Amino acid sequence: MPGAALLGRDDEVANVVALVASGDVRLVTITGPGGVGKTRLALEAVRRVGVDFVDGAVFVDLAGVTDADSVAATVAGRLDVGHSGVDDPTRHRRG
């Protein structure tokens, strides 16, 4: 319910916004049991922080993803970026 008021979650939203606004974090994962308001919290954080970025911020719903191998493809699809064949989006690189 994106139009519903988000009550009592100001601290959590502020934490997510602060993480993204720090510039050190590009992806935030919110986990927890069903029905606790994870989606509403994420949508509100995206709404608040999105205005600070030229390309905005994006919420990627992973609720329907049933295997770990599909996470990167789901995120890439939501961001409208493709797999170039050079970089594997599922590999983690360390500098």
Side-chain angles (χ1 to χ4, degrees):
M1 285 181 221
L6 184 64
L7 303 173
R9 301 299 292 270
D10 290 335
D11 289 343
E12 290 90 347
V13 173
N15 287 339
V16 172
V17 169
L19 282 171
V20 176
S22 74
D24 295 331
V25 176
R26 299 174 81 186
L27 172 73
V28 175
T29 302
I30 301 171
T31 63
V36 297
K38 298 177 301 294
T39 299
R40 283 288 301 123
L41 182 128
L43 290 171
E44 181 61 20
V46 165
R47 186 188 70 74
R48 291 185 191 182
V49 77
V51 298
D52 295 331
F53 295 95
V54 173
D55 294 322
V58 177
F59 167 73
V60 180
D61 186 356
L62 298 175
V65 177
T66 58
D67 68 286
D69 293 336
S70 298
V71 172
T74 301
V75 172
R78 179 64 176 90
L79 297 175
D80 199 25
V81 296
H83 179 53
S84 69
V86 176
D87 293 324
D88 181 353
T90 63
R91 288 188 51 182
H92 300 283
R93 295 185 186 175
R94 296 206 166 122

